[in-house]
Amino acid sequence: MTLKSDVHIAGQPVPPHRNIHADEIGFDGNTDFADEGYLNTCGSNKVADFLREYLIENYNLTDYRSKEGNLWERAQQRSDKRILISIVSTR
């Protein structure tokens, strides 16, 4: 069966879906879930790590984190400014 998709990431076609099995991520039922339906921080980090590696291996993405003035850096500066304003206004 051939699956077709018109969705693209970084100019490359994306399969319509990707089944991910718990053993691919390395979930531990005793430590990775907050309850039977939700991941805790440890489980969420495993998903994020899995997705990061999947994207790196399958797509030619540019890492902008080290570029000066990147989106994360600007958001962090705005957040720091809000925290400072909040601290000053509560005194």
Side-chain angles (χ1 to χ4, degrees), residues 14-31:
V14 176
H17 68 280
R18 163 82 162 82
N19 289 329
I20 300 170
H21 300 280
D23 58 339
E24 287 183 81
I25 296 176
F27 284 134
D28 180 336
N30 296 316
T31 60

Side-chain angles (χ1 to χ4, degrees), residues 59-76:
Y59 299 95
N60 184 24
L61 302 175
T62 302
D63 185 351
Y64 290 99
R65 291 176 295 181
S66 62
K67 302 222 185 265
E68 188 174 333
N70 65 56
L71 180 62
W72 169 255
E73 188 176 288
R74 293 192 319 260
Q76 184 64 44

Side-chain angles (χ1 to χ4, degrees), residues 42-55:
C42 187
S44 297
N45 287 339
K46 286 182 180 181
V47 171
D49 290 343
F50 176 86
L51 290 174
R52 183 189 70 240
E53 291 303 318
Y54 179 82
L55 291 171

